[in-house]
Amino acid sequence: MPSNLVLNADPGVCPALRTWIENNADLLVGFSLQVAEDVQAELQLHNTALALNISSSRAIKEGGDIALASAILQGEISGLIHFPSPTSERSASVLSEPLVRAALLSDLPIALNPASASALVRGIKGSRRGYLIFNPVAGQGNSEAELAEIRAYLEPQIMLQIWMTKQGVDPAEQARDLIKEIKAFDQTGEGESIVIASGGDGTVGAVASALQGSGIPLGIIPRGTANAFSVALGIPTSLKAACTNLLLGNTRRVDVALCNNKPMILLSGLGFEAGMVNKASRELKNILGPMAYIFSGARQMVDQKPFPATLRMEGKEHKVEASAITVANAAPATSVMAQGFGQVIPDDGLLEVIVASPKDRIGGLSVLTSLAWSAILNNASHHDNIVCFRTKALDVELNENQKLVVDGEITETRSLSISVEPGALVVVAPIRLNP
């Protein structure tokens, strides 16, 4: 991990390590320093330790070197600083060998004296650092092989820290913890940090919600079923190409919406959109991939019933009878119900709103066909049963509960309140060839 260092010293040279730590306290701010209990006792750090993040591990004499070596082999450490005793004094000692051997096997930077230790820390602080939040259950591939492939592409140029998503833990919380770490680490203005989300749109959306307004770039390695946000921004969906995009490092500011007090990067939908997503089960997506949404859309066309709604925006009120109300911040062409204008612009400071009001099943098919052609031709739809407009904010009141989808998550609601925050999220994305 780029922010984790192991500090160790043989008993006779602990004073030298203590002096180096005291002289380089400012340089070490932002690192998590892993030190064995017995070594820490020998260091006798007092005031200096208060400003540093020092974590104690098992004493070297009790196998702490083996535990730290294991952390190195698992890729959790960015550098080893070990001050050894002169060879003549330690010819019979093997206490430090597991640490050094693990570092050599992991191709980890090693510093064995004060000068090289300072150079090692400055090198890490001045490097590009990637904090990868990796969802191991996303997609249908072999997650271990995919993670190994990602590391092979990125680690020669970016120092990676791997955070696995965990059941019951919101990736947004993990990202918020990382933001605190990054801000502490980057306070000297050195280096460059990026948070990378690797998973489906759920993982990406959660991480994006935490990063909005922070100025820290979001990198994306898509591994989900639809990967809608990635496709909407032109981010490649193959692992190698997505990693190449991260290495190129071009950034783009995009809007983030707030939907019923929750961040939204893609779209929300009442009626048809929500029903379609609700019918696209995990099993169906595993079998059909993105085609699952088309299949579930055909099923939803049969079931969808119109509902009355009151729309309020820019001081005006509109009453409608709709089968679908879709509000999009960003969406690929495959999100058909968002394609009233033929494209969704993710950085214009506006939301695209599409209200569809077909009278029957045939009318619903006609609406879908019209929106699909709008996406293909990149032109606005002119269907009699489709109304499209752009706005900064929208409120929707319903007579009864309706299913609502927000970035793929299904809830029920009787109201919808949505607004946009322009340019709130920095994303690593390809340079746009067209405005």
Side-chain angles (χ1 to χ4, degrees):
M1 299 167 92
S3 54
N4 279 15
L5 294 176
V6 169
L7 303 186
N8 191 53
D10 288 341
V13 289
C14 278
L17 180 58
R18 178 177 66 243
T19 300
W20 178 82
I21 293 172
E22 291 171 346
N23 290 340
N24 291 274
D26 291 343
L27 192 62
L28 290 170
V29 170
F31 284 97
S32 176
L33 307 175
Q34 311 292 316
V35 186
E37 287 181 352
D38 45 356
V39 174
Q40 188 171 351
E42 288 288 331
L43 292 176
Q44 296 181 342
L45 294 170
H46 298 294
N47 294 334
T48 302
L50 297 177
L52 300 177
N53 179 16
I54 299 178
S55 300
S56 297
S57 64
R58 184 184 304 172
I60 294 291
K61 294 180 179 178
E62 297 175 358
D65 54 338
I66 298 173
L68 289 170
S70 175
I72 290 173
L73 291 172
Q74 291 175 21
E76 298 176 358
I77 306 297
S78 67
L80 169 64
I81 295 175
H82 170 68
F83 289 3
S85 297
T87 305
S88 60
E89 298 178 20
R90 58 183 300 275
S91 57
S93 173
V94 294
L95 288 181
S96 65
E97 287 186 3
L99 289 176
V100 175
R101 186 160 185 262
L104 291 172
L105 288 172
S106 302
D107 199 22
L108 195 74
I110 305 172
L112 301 176
N113 57 42
S116 60
S118 299
L120 184 152
V121 174
R122 287 194 180 94
I124 292 174
K125 296 205 78 168
S127 67
R128 292 183 70 190
R129 295 177 296 278
Y131 299 79
L132 174 62
I133 297 178
F134 185 88
N135 185 347
V137 299
Q140 302 172 47
N142 183 319
S143 61
E144 291 185 4
E146 289 172 340
L147 179 56
E149 188 176 354
I150 290 168
R151 297 185 72 163
Y153 290 138
L154 295 183
E155 284 190 327
Q157 297 186 50
I158 298 177
M159 300 193 69
L160 281 183
Q161 173 181 339
I162 313 298
W163 283 41
M164 293 289 189
T165 61
K166 300 176 182 177
Q167 188 173 3
V169 178
D170 188 347
E173 289 298 323
Q174 294 178 301
R176 279 189 275 272
D177 289 340
L178 283 175
I179 290 170
K180 296 176 186 176
E181 183 174 324
I182 289 168
K183 288 186 174 179
F185 198 87
D186 289 352
Q187 66 180 353
T188 58
E190 297 177 283
E192 175 189 344
S193 294
I194 176 176
V195 176
I196 304 167
S198 182
D201 284 316
T203 303
V204 172
V207 176
S209 71
L211 289 180
Q212 64 167 328
S214 70
I216 298 170
L218 168 66
I220 302 173
I221 301 176
R223 294 173 35 256
T225 301
N227 302 311
F229 191 62
S230 302
V231 174
L233 298 183
I235 296 170
T237 55
S238 74
L239 285 187
K240 182 177 182 180
C243 290
T244 299
N245 172 62
L246 295 179
L247 294 175
L248 291 173
N250 299 305
T251 59
R252 176 181 182 184
R253 283 194 171 273
V254 299
D255 306 333
V256 176
L258 191 66
C259 181
N260 285 357
N261 296 316
K262 293 184 178 181
M264 181 190 91
I265 60 172
L266 283 163
L267 58 81
S268 62
L270 290 162
F272 181 86
E273 184 85 30
M276 179 183 68
V277 173
N278 191 47
K279 284 182 169 64
S281 66
R282 166 55 62 183
E283 291 77 13
L284 195 61
K285 288 189 284 186
N286 285 341
I287 296 170
L288 300 178
M291 289 294 293
Y293 294 103
I294 297 174
F295 182 80
S296 61
R299 294 168 58 194
Q300 181 60 24
M301 189 184 301
V302 176
D303 298 338
Q304 184 62 50
K305 294 180 175 62
F307 55 89
T310 301
L311 281 61
R312 298 184 181 92
M313 57 184 170
E314 300 176 1
K316 297 180 180 180
E317 182 174 293
H318 307 271
K319 292 187 180 295
V320 299
E321 189 86 7
S323 292
I325 300 174
T326 302
V327 186
N329 176 64
T334 50
S335 296
V336 177
M337 293 306 299
Q339 302 302 320
F341 289 98
Q343 63 174 329
V344 181
I345 304 172
D347 55 2
D348 62 351
L350 297 171
L351 299 162
E352 276 84 352
V353 182
I354 294 86
V355 180
S357 305
K359 301 298 187 288
D360 50 35
R361 194 180 305 170
I362 299 299
L365 179 60
S366 176
V367 164
L368 286 175
T369 302
S370 177
L371 291 172
W373 276 110
S374 293
I376 293 169
L377 299 175
N378 201 25
N379 289 325
S381 172
H382 298 289
H383 196 283
D384 291 342
N385 294 327
I386 301 173
V387 176
C388 312
F389 50 89
R390 289 187 169 107
T391 183
K392 294 180 180 178
L394 174 70
D395 291 308
V396 180
E397 293 291 335
L398 304 169
N399 291 355
E400 58 185 24
N401 278 358
Q402 292 287 335
K403 281 188 170 58
L404 168 70
V405 59
V406 181
D407 284 358
E409 297 297 320
I410 299 288
T411 59
E412 284 197 359
T413 187
R414 286 192 64 175
S415 64
L416 176 66
S417 180
I418 186 166
S419 59
V420 67
E421 185 175 347
L425 181 65
V426 181
V427 183
V428 181
I431 296 174
R432 288 173 294 168
L433 299 179
N434 299 309

